[in-house]
Amino acid sequence: MSIYSDEYERMTGMPAPKQAEQLDRLFDEISQKHLLPPKGQQAADCGFVAHTFNDRKINPAIYAYYDWVLSNEFNVDEISELPANIIGHEFVCANIFATDWPQPVTVNPWQIKDILQMKVATGKAVIIENNGVFIWLLHRHPTWPLILQSGNDFNATYLKVMKALAGEIKLAYLGDLDTSGIRIADQLTTYLGNEGFQNLAVIQSPSQVAQWLAGYGKAADSGRIHRGAELHNQSWKEESYLLMVNQQFVEQEQLIDSYETLIPEWLGQA
């Protein structure tokens, strides 16, 4: 028996799984704060199928034991392991950093440290919620400094880079005018807090939203406009109220012509 399986049995009153001791080396590495390989490699090194620590259905007893030890014997936030995911765990931008790399630039978890050591090439940037709008605007205006929000994808790489940028440059947010879009904007604003004293609604202001609703608004059902999670930022609260009162929504794709006037004006490129 090991100290980990002993503690597991003492605290849970259940016997440790037969293969529990195969995880001792991994747990020792964690206790010594060593950098770990991705989870699949960890499982293989312990003698298990690669997905054992990611999918409880592969080996339920070992998964439960592994999860219990991590949660009860270690501070999970301090466990250092290389991420295996690249797709869906990236930051995408254009014309933000001083580099001759082809645009747009995609930053994965391993590139964060290096990208943040680069000089910033702009004093302002516009965050675009939707992939298609981002790439279309970049195609039409190759020099614009743009950041892709990519819907509600608040992955760790995106958040780390955004936190760093918010202290250096001014940011504006543009997204769908529906409940989900406003919630995403509010989440980002709340995360950034007072970094750079940001007003992300500087272009998509309540008064501008009122104009867009009047000119482009479509009748909404409960799927597009509804009472969602509590909002924190006053501008986004006002915009959510406008959507509820009018029972209308506007998609980003409808606003390209307007963006092509407002964005360069804010960037100072008009």
Side-chain angles (χ1 to χ4, degrees), residues 149-220:
Q149 167 62 41
S150 193
N152 59 3
D153 182 17
F154 290 94
N155 68 78
T157 304
Y158 173 84
L159 292 175
K160 286 179 182 178
V161 179
M162 286 300 296
K163 193 79 166 181
L165 287 177
E168 294 192 54
I169 66 178
K170 294 180 179 179
L171 299 168
Y173 188 92
L174 295 172
D176 286 333
L177 303 182
D178 58 14
T179 298
S180 178
I182 298 299
R183 178 183 54 79
I184 292 169
D186 187 70
Q187 280 183 271
L188 180 60
T189 304
T190 301
Y191 174 78
L192 295 179
N194 292 323
E195 294 289 338
F197 304 100
Q198 296 286 350
N199 173 22
L200 298 187
V202 64
I203 299 177
Q204 187 179 301
S205 64
S207 60
Q208 182 62 63
V209 168
Q211 293 182 38
W212 281 334
L213 286 171
Y216 302 95
K218 296 181 179 179

Side-chain angles (χ1 to χ4, degrees), residues 16-22 62:
K18 292 180 179 180
Q19 299 167 298
E21 292 187 15
Q22 293 177 214
I62 285 296

Side-chain angles (χ1 to χ4, degrees), residues 47-65:
F48 301 110
V49 174
H51 293 297
T52 300
F53 299 156
N54 291 305
D55 186 348
R56 67 174 67 246
K57 293 179 290 186
I58 299 293
N59 189 331
I62 285 296
Y63 182 95
Y65 173 70

Side-chain angles (χ1 to χ4, degrees), residues 70-263:
L70 288 192
S71 300
N72 292 275
E73 298 297 313
F74 301 104
N75 182 341
V76 177
D77 292 335
E78 295 180 357
I79 296 175
S80 178
E81 64 183 21
L82 290 172
N85 293 323
I86 301 177
I87 298 173
H89 291 260
E90 66 277 329
F91 171 87
V92 180
C93 69
N95 306 307
I96 302 297
F97 299 100
T99 174
D100 58 0
W101 296 350
Q103 304 295 318
V105 169
T106 300
V107 180
N108 66 43
W110 299 282
Q111 297 172 309
I112 295 175
K113 181 179 178 181
D114 291 332
I115 199 74
L116 293 182
Q117 291 177 346
M118 292 183 175
K119 292 183 179 180
V120 175
T122 180
K124 293 180 177 180
V126 181
I127 305 162
I128 304 294
E129 179 188 341
N130 296 325
N131 301 19
V133 175
F134 170 88
I135 204 65
W136 184 231
L137 287 175
L138 180 60
H139 171 74
R140 292 168 67 99
H141 307 278
T143 64
W144 280 5
L146 303 174
I147 296 171
L148 176 61
Q149 167 62 41
S150 193
N152 59 3
D153 182 17
F154 290 94
N155 68 78
T157 304
Y158 173 84
L159 292 175
K160 286 179 182 178
V161 179
M162 286 300 296
K163 193 79 166 181
L165 287 177
E168 294 192 54
I169 66 178
K170 294 180 179 179
L171 299 168
Y173 188 92
L174 295 172
D176 286 333
L177 303 182
D178 58 14
T179 298
S180 178
I182 298 299
R183 178 183 54 79
I184 292 169
D186 187 70
Q187 280 183 271
L188 180 60
T189 304
T190 301
Y191 174 78
L192 295 179
N194 292 323
E195 294 289 338
F197 304 100
Q198 296 286 350
N199 173 22
L200 298 187
V202 64
I203 299 177
Q204 187 179 301
S205 64
S207 60
Q208 182 62 63
V209 168
Q211 293 182 38
W212 281 334
L213 286 171
Y216 302 95
K218 296 181 179 179
D221 57 29
S222 59
R224 298 300 297 253
I225 305 298
H226 56 85
R227 295 188 182 279
E230 179 182 356
L231 301 176
H232 301 89
N233 178 268
Q234 185 58 37
S235 292
W236 305 130
K237 286 181 180 180
E238 292 177 20
E239 294 181 20
S240 179
Y241 177 75
L242 286 169
L243 301 182
M244 290 293 297
V245 169
N246 288 276
Q247 284 298 298
Q248 291 179 314
F249 72 96
V250 179
E251 295 177 305
Q252 277 205 291
E253 289 80 357
Q254 298 173 255
L255 301 176
I256 295 295
D257 289 346
S258 185
Y259 286 174
E260 290 185 315
T261 298
L262 297 174
I263 290 176

